[in-house]
Amino acid sequence: MRDDIPTVTELNIYVDDAALDLVPRREAARLQILPMHVDGDKLVVAMVDPRDLLKLDELSRMTGKEIQPARADLRVIDRGIQRFYGERDELETGTGLMEPGLVVQADSRVGATLVEGSQDAPAVALVNELLEAAIFSRASDIHFEPGATKFQIRLRVDGVLYDHQSYPVDLHASVLSRVKIMAGMDIGEHRLPQDGRFDARLRGRVFDIRASVVPSVFGETAVLRLLPKTATGLKLEELGFSADHLRVMRDDVCARPHGMIFATGPTGSGKTTTLYAILTRLDRVGRNVLTIEDPVEYQLNRATQIQVHPKIGLDFDSGLRSILRQDPDIIMVGEIRDLETLRMAIQSALTGHLVLTTVHCNDAASGAARLIDMGAEPFLVASSASAFLSQRLVRHICPECRTEDEPAQELLDTLGIEGGTFYRGRGCDECRGTGYHGRLACFEIMTVDDVIGSAITRRESAGEIRRLARSLGTLGLREDAIQKAREGLTTLEEILRAVWVEED
């Protein structure tokens, strides 16, 4: 180590934004360092002990730069962090939504603006580029997948993963460190899974980005899920409801003043989006709306939204108990995960509240059986439930290149349908050659009337409840999906991939 290490005082300290871009305030405070300025491939850093090799090595991995240390008292470093990072936080709070570049805010506390100058740090620039590419490609997820010889990036667009780009495997460590820093994770932990989050703002659009990192054979794999934070424009009419289903939703399900509305389906089937669309339709001016979610996926006007924090004891059960003391009219519970939460939700519905929630099961008829399996009394389920909605997401045929299609007979036989006119997308620039653009939902809506309620009370099987619902005119997921294929909205291949549900 050199003996000519410079000393930094409050009189000669100099800090530029390029250096602050590389090290978030949280990490600077943890390491007790102050990034000062970038000099080519070197980052000048003020620190108490310039010979702390572990800290120098961690900074080098974090920033992708060679670290050139300078000596400073801890008091100088603390004041510098407060002064220089404080000025940046004020600037970003005032201008973030108007800047054309990408603004990232880690864990709702620490901000870092990724601007054109970030190309000085390859990892920072690469993550910036991937976030922008994902948002403009309408991607819901970014996958960072290390391999033996390359580092693969994939984007999930319209529910399907596509290869986006591959990079030298040497970039993997610095990119994952950058992701961890942005998401508020421990960059020194490589053996255990970690979860985090951060906000990204791009050209007026705000995204809540959920990060997950898990160890794998070739290194850590990360997935970023991009969630738009505004519910503006979420309407039932835009989700894919048929005319008959829309009438049932408008005149029956959404018209009930109390009870429980269950959205069912696997993870990623759009259940929460449907519940938000219902909330958007309901009167929120004259009623008190409270939600408890994990995560809060959209920001909704005239609603009090609560994010669960299990580590501090704020889970769905305790949160729901607190909500009931807030004089609610409408309650949305992100998911029924345990018996206590279910009991509280049922009690809320029976005492005059409208409760919206989700439960994981294959179809609407299985919803009641799932609740009873969790431990709820059948007569309470029958008394409190208003409707069970089941849904799946399918890719929408690109309207720019849609053409008539004659499906293979084997496909028709597999789906058990007669021939007719169907459609597909040829592939064009608008849909990037996939033949699909966007997604829509296929639905099944089972309202709980006296017949269905009696079957639930008798603990009838899901198959028997399904048969009764069909006899009363309930259109199943299969039928709704096939009808959408005949209308040219989706393809039979999509139905087989995403919708097909085995029935008793």
Side-chain angles (χ1 to χ4, degrees), residues 11 47 198 204 226 356 410 412 466:
L11 297 178
M47 53 198 305
F198 59 93
L226 284 63
L356 285 66
E410 181 181 359
L412 294 173
R466 187 180 301 113

Side-chain angles (χ1 to χ4, degrees), residues 279-280 282-289 301-303 329-330:
L279 285 177
T280 300
L282 295 173
D283 171 30
R284 302 191 306 280
V285 176
R287 290 188 279 187
N288 186 21
V289 180
N301 292 330
R302 294 187 180 275
D329 297 294
I330 302 172

Side-chain angles (χ1 to χ4, degrees), residues 21-41:
D21 282 338
L22 296 176
V23 184
R25 178 173 184 163
R26 177 182 62 258
E27 295 300 315
R30 179 179 69 85
L31 296 172
Q32 295 183 328
I33 62 94
L34 178 65
M36 297 178 60
H37 54 89
V38 176
D39 183 12
D41 61 352

Side-chain angles (χ1 to χ4, degrees), residues 164-180:
H164 175 67
Q165 186 62 272
S166 60
Y167 300 94
V169 74
D170 294 344
L171 272 176
H172 169 256
S174 58
V175 169
L176 262 290
S177 292
R178 177 60 180 167
V179 169
K180 288 181 178 181

Side-chain angles (χ1 to χ4, degrees), residues 443-461:
F443 292 96
E444 175 185 11
I445 305 175
M446 185 183 76
T447 56
V448 180
D449 56 12
D450 291 340
V451 176
I452 300 298
S454 297
I456 294 173
T457 302
R458 296 193 305 270
R459 293 179 180 265
E460 296 286 0
S461 67

